[in-house]
Amino acid sequence: MTKFNMTRRSVLAGAAAGTATLGMPAYLRAMSGEFIIGASLPLTGPFATAGQLIAPAFSLYEKLINDEGGIAGTKIKFSTEDSGYVPQNALANYQRLLASEGEKVVAYYGDSTGFMKLVGPELKGEQARMMTSTSFATELANPETHPYQFMSGPTYEDQFNILLQDIAAKGGKTVAFVHSNTEFGTDPIKAGQAKAAELGLEVVLVESTKPQGADIPTHVTKIAQANPDYCILQGYVTGVWPQLIGGARQFGLTTKFMGTFWGMEKLIADRVTAEAGPFLEGYQGVMPYRYSYDTENAPRLQQIAAMSKVALAGTPLENYFPTWGIQAFASLDILTIALRRNADMGKAPTADNLAAAVATIKDVDLGGYFGPKISVENNKVGVGRVYQYSAESRLFTPTSDWLTV
């Protein structure tokens, strides 16, 4: 598994000096000069590559916001721990941070659908904090049941809907769903079956696999027996999804493969192409964001590119910042808007106040992560478009307009 040896010290080299606190609301002065944003990431375990590629986003984001003056003059600081992609580990990390840092902790970035569901009942009273995460779980898109959790993109169900509509528009007739046996993997399957029926698509296979170390030949045989026009892969990060496509191509299948956000990382597609050949040519999927190389009319992506060249020089991320990190940046920018609006009103950064501030985000230009202006409605940003991979150019390029769901 690829490891990226980037230290916090190298990313934060040259960080700005402290900002003045005069004129700051009293509650901000009481924060001892910093807001802490906690985080759990899968730096080990089945999705470790994702955690390792997301981690630099926190260091860059800390510098970016503090260079902009912080939150009404108060700096932010990240506190990140490994979860191994075990929800109970992430919950323990969260509880430990609250116990040690208390009210300085204003928000938390979770590592998984499993953690976000597990922590929900804990977010009460003094234990409540505003949360975002790696997850696009459909269950979270409900302010009544999950008032303190939001996502910077469409749910997994929404992403399936976009892909199924694209398949129907292209004349597809049959589709297979292959997913990992995780909450992440199973999330959109039932709704996807219903949407397919609504669109007149026949679901000819629903197949569950391990998220890592899956029995590829067995699963490929089942795909071959079903012989769908399209196959949507859900609930994977690295190994399994390209192996399934490679096995299908060796089998001679002409099935067109598609993925959702976590199966759309260019670094993974490029590595697979370099090691195993161009069998990912034409692979498609849904993305809420632009890729980091698509910087036209995207000032935030331009900032990230400039910072990466300096802070991440000599690493695989020097000239390309991963989509998984872009997702973190977009989520954190939404959180920062809420923190700044909250501070402008002189309110304490409680979970209730920040949730109310997030709900005020309407028709906002977030700096280019998304094509259109965005709104946070029902805890989500319902925007995405379809991209296709070229093994020759090593780029994902859009094949649809920006769609709202």
Side-chain angles (χ1 to χ4, degrees), residues 174-176 178 204 220 222-233 244-245 248-249 252-258 279 281-283:
T174 59
V175 62
V178 180
V204 294
V220 169
K222 291 184 179 180
I223 296 171
Q225 290 169 343
N227 195 26
D229 296 332
Y230 288 83
C231 179
I232 300 178
L233 305 172
L244 289 169
I245 299 173
R249 295 295 172 250
L253 294 184
T254 58
T255 297
K256 297 179 175 66
F257 285 87
M258 305 180 106
F279 63 81
E281 176 67 36
Y283 169 71

Side-chain angles (χ1 to χ4, degrees), residues 246-276:
R249 295 295 172 250
Q250 289 178 345
F251 214 98
L253 294 184
T254 58
T255 297
K256 297 179 175 66
F257 285 87
M258 305 180 106
T260 55
F261 173 74
W262 292 100
M264 294 294 288
E265 177 49 63
K266 171 179 146 59
L267 287 174
I268 304 303
D270 288 352
R271 188 172 71 190
V272 168
T273 300
E275 294 176 357

Side-chain angles (χ1 to χ4, degrees), residues 193-201:
Q193 289 173 299
K195 185 66 176 180
E198 176 188 320
L199 293 169
L201 300 171

Side-chain angles (χ1 to χ4, degrees), residues 110-303:
D111 70 326
S112 65
T113 294
F115 166 70
M116 292 296 273
K117 291 183 178 181
L118 181 65
V119 77
E122 304 286 323
L123 302 181
K124 298 177 181 178
E126 294 182 357
Q127 298 295 304
R129 295 295 187 277
M130 200 65 201
M131 288 202 168
T132 188
S133 73
T134 61
S135 178
F136 297 98
T138 304
E139 180 182 313
L140 305 181
N142 186 338
E144 292 186 6
T145 58
H146 294 81
Y148 308 127
Q149 299 177 331
F150 73 91
M151 64 193 79
S152 63
T155 68
Y156 294 127
E157 282 190 11
D158 292 335
Q159 293 178 43
F160 256 53
N161 286 349
I162 289 173
L163 293 178
L164 289 168
Q165 290 180 61
D166 190 65
I167 289 169
K170 291 174 178 174
K173 301 298 183 184
T174 59
V175 62
F177 299 158
V178 180
H179 63 91
S180 67
N181 58 2
T182 62
E183 289 187 271
F184 164 31
T186 59
D187 180 301
I189 301 304
K190 287 185 178 179
Q193 289 173 299
K195 185 66 176 180
E198 176 188 320
L199 293 169
L201 300 171
E202 182 184 0
V203 179
V204 294
L205 175 69
V206 177
E207 180 73 354
S208 175
T209 82
K210 294 179 180 178
Q212 189 179 46
D215 182 0
I216 300 299
T218 296
H219 298 304
V220 169
T221 298
K222 291 184 179 180
I223 296 171
Q225 290 169 343
N227 195 26
D229 296 332
Y230 288 83
C231 179
I232 300 178
L233 305 172
Q234 163 67 17
Y236 305 105
V237 173
T238 52
V240 174
W241 71 264
Q243 290 173 337
L244 289 169
I245 299 173
R249 295 295 172 250
Q250 289 178 345
F251 214 98
L253 294 184
T254 58
T255 297
K256 297 179 175 66
F257 285 87
M258 305 180 106
T260 55
F261 173 74
W262 292 100
M264 294 294 288
E265 177 49 63
K266 171 179 146 59
L267 287 174
I268 304 303
D270 288 352
R271 188 172 71 190
V272 168
T273 300
E275 294 176 357
F279 63 81
L280 293 182
E281 176 67 36
Y283 169 71
Q284 296 182 72
V286 65
M287 268 279 289
Y289 320 106
R290 287 188 171 104
Y291 284 83
S292 65
Y293 48 78
D294 184 9
T295 58
E296 186 177 358
N297 299 319
R300 205 56 154 177
L301 295 183
Q302 292 170 12
Q303 286 179 303

Side-chain angles (χ1 to χ4, degrees), residues 10 38-39 44 53 79 88 90 94 104 191-192 197 227 231 245 256 276 280 282 298 316 327 365 368 391-392 404:
S10 68
T44 58
L53 290 177
S79 177
Q88 290 80 4
Y94 175 64
K104 288 185 181 181
N227 195 26
C231 179
I245 299 173
K256 297 179 175 66
L280 293 182
Q327 187 264 353
D365 182 350
E392 181 178 358
T404 300

Side-chain angles (χ1 to χ4, degrees), residues 1-4 41-55 82 84-85 212 237-238 324:
M1 183 169 292
T2 303
K3 292 185 181 293
F4 300 96
L41 288 177
L43 300 173
T44 58
F47 296 148
T49 298
Q52 293 159 13
L53 290 177
I54 294 168
D82 180 27
Y85 200 72
Q212 189 179 46
V237 173
T238 52
W324 301 338

